[in-house]
Amino acid sequence: NAGVTQTPKFRVLKTGQSMTLLCAQDMNHEYMYWYRQDPGMGLRLIHYSVGEGTTAKGEVPDGYNVSRLKKQNFLLGLESAAPSQTSVYFCASSFLTTGVPSPYFGPGTRLTVT
Amino acid sequence: AQSVTQLDSQVPVFEEAPVELRCNYSSSVSVYLFWYVQYPNQGLQLLLKYLSGSTLVKGINGFEAEFNKSQTSFHLRKPSVHISDTAEYFCAVSERKDSSYKLIFGSGTRLLVRP
């Protein structure tokens, strides 16, 4: 099992450019999440999905869109990148254990917007 | 909404000394708690979790945590730390909303183990 993988690992964008981050998991997990990590702020939830074809907003969804067309993939899109979106992005996935998920995290994508 | 507070942003400690990393959460009827560790330039790895049952939870790498409902705390402890334990530690609480669950994280505590 590869677990949770993220593509790309690093990216530099200019303000206004768009890009898509790909998250893939091979554990047949129902839940998938996108977090961003900024110094001193821990991880903040951007969007999440409880199953194929469903998505929901997290704490900081503005400026991002997501799609989950296949159970194993969860895409995070930035339509018009801004310097405030410079961050490390983590994807996670989980199944339900006694009704509560225990997420597994990917290695992260470091994004810089200039 | 749930919230998690990690009061210590950094905890320096000497090798082989004991350590406690503090975590407090906002009160809720049902609460599920987690500790994750992040080594430099890596993703997060689950250390331990409390879902129900015994309030003392043992995790990997010799860490343990105690759930204290009256004090709304879930502090992480290790009796003797190693240099390799230097990392950032995140406490998290599971929040249920609209029939789904999501993790809410604290701001993290950087454990710095010195020789």
Side-chain angles (χ1 to χ4, degrees):
Chain A
N1 280 355
V4 180
T5 57
Q6 293 182 231
T7 308
K9 288 185 171 53
F10 304 93
R11 186 71 186 269
V12 178
L13 286 180
K14 293 187 189 306
T15 297
Q17 287 184 320
S18 63
M19 79 163 291
T20 300
L21 280 66
L22 171 64
C23 176
Q25 53 95 2
D26 60 2
M27 296 174 282
N28 202 33
H29 286 169
E30 292 88 3
Y31 282 31
M32 295 188 77
Y33 311 81
W34 276 108
Y35 286 88
R36 59 177 289 173
Q37 182 180 29
D38 303 292
M41 302 188 75
L43 279 79
R44 292 180 292 168
L45 183 64
I46 305 172
H47 287 280
Y48 64 102
S49 167
V50 302
E52 181 179 325
T54 70
T55 63
K57 294 181 180 180
E59 304 168 73
V60 289
D62 294 340
Y64 305 94
N65 56 75
V66 287
S67 64
R68 187 139 180 232
L69 300 179
K70 294 183 180 180
K71 187 176 184 179
Q72 64 267 34
N73 295 336
F74 194 30
L75 278 64
L76 178 71
L78 285 72
E79 292 183 346
S80 179
S84 61
Q85 293 177 305
T86 293
S87 187
V88 181
Y89 292 85
F90 287 99
C91 176
S93 71
S94 67
F95 52 88
L96 295 181
T97 302
T98 62
V100 180
S102 304
Y104 291 80
F105 281 80
T109 294
R110 187 173 295 274
L111 175 66
T112 302
V113 183
T114 62
Chain B
Q2 290 277 9
S3 65
V4 178
T5 303
Q6 293 181 250
L7 288 173
D8 304 308
S9 60
Q10 183 165 302
V11 173
V13 64
F14 287 107
E15 193 175 18
E16 297 183 6
V19 71
E20 178 179 85
L21 305 184
R22 297 182 293 168
C23 173
N24 289 88
Y25 61 93
S26 57
S27 180
S28 177
V29 175
S30 296
V31 62
Y32 309 104
L33 296 155
F34 304 77
W35 274 100
Y36 281 84
V37 60
Q38 184 181 32
Y39 298 104
N41 299 313
Q42 294 187 26
L44 279 74
Q45 180 182 0
L46 181 66
L47 266 181
L48 49 81
K49 59 187 176 185
Y50 171 79
L51 301 182
S52 64
S54 173
T55 57
L56 184 62
V57 181
K58 292 191 184 298
I60 62 172
N61 300 341
F63 283 92
E64 64 182 30
E66 185 159 19
F67 170 59
N68 188 319
K69 189 174 182 178
S70 63
Q71 297 186 3
T72 61
S73 67
F74 190 55
H75 300 333
L76 181 70
R77 301 187 184 100
K78 186 169 182 178
S80 176
V81 296
H82 302 287
I83 296 287
S84 59
D85 291 323
T86 293
E88 187 141 23
Y89 293 80
F90 292 94
C91 182
V93 62
S94 182
E95 177 181 75
R96 177 170 182 166
K97 184 178 180 183
D98 300 328
S99 300
S100 64
Y101 291 89
K102 53 186 179 181
L103 283 187
I104 306 299
F105 284 84
S107 57
T109 297
R110 187 172 299 276
L111 177 63
L112 180 59
V113 182
R114 297 167 173 166

